[in-house]
Amino acid sequence: MTRRQRGWAALVVVAVVAAAVAAVLTRPPGVEAARDGGSPACARLLARLPGSLDGLARVPQGAAGVAVWGADQEVVLRCGAAVIGPTTKECLPVGPDEATSVDWVRDAQSDRAVRFLTYGRDPAVEVTVRFAGGDPSGAPSRLVDLAAPVGQVPQTRSCV
């Protein structure tokens, strides 16, 4: 190999390494599993979750009990979260109709995301919905298509 060919080969290697590093750095970080994410109930739930959610494609994840929709992790579901007891936080029944709704507690909110937790279900399911423009009003609508699969987790209590 000539000196010129070695130089080009080195440039190609550098370009490939730089592209790989850029891809890793620009990709959203992986989502950590919840405490009981590896439970059989969470595995059953993940198998029932939709491939798309409100127009967002499901993105493969490696963590147990985790599902993500959208390239920028617009919706993140973690099964096996800590079960919450009675609370004064807002509780919303969300589903396509009253018979198939799931009780969700608005657990936390920032200017870019809202975190919901199922109420009265074990294992608990946590869903974080990211939104743009500081307007969280549409966040609960992302939970509608999750009602049927999450509703299969046994319910022991409901919101009052």
Side-chain angles (χ1 to χ4, degrees), residues 93-103 143-145 147-148:
V94 178
D97 55 51
E98 192 173 310
T100 58
S101 69
V102 171
D103 290 339
L143 302 173
V144 172
D145 291 338

Side-chain angles (χ1 to χ4, degrees), residues 37-84:
S39 73
C42 288
R44 287 189 298 274
L45 171 62
L46 259 61
R48 292 189 297 261
L49 292 173
S52 66
L53 186 64
D54 199 23
L56 300 170
R58 189 165 167 187
V59 179
Q61 295 293 303
V66 173
V68 172
W69 291 268
D72 292 326
Q73 299 180 347
E74 286 92 341
V75 180
V76 175
L77 179 145
R78 295 184 339 133
C79 181
V83 175
I84 60 171

Side-chain angles (χ1 to χ4, degrees), residues 72 74 110-114 129-139 142:
D72 292 326
E74 286 92 341
S110 72
D111 61 343
R112 293 184 310 243
V114 179
V129 178
R130 289 174 176 55
F131 52 87
D135 182 12
S137 62
R142 297 276 172 102

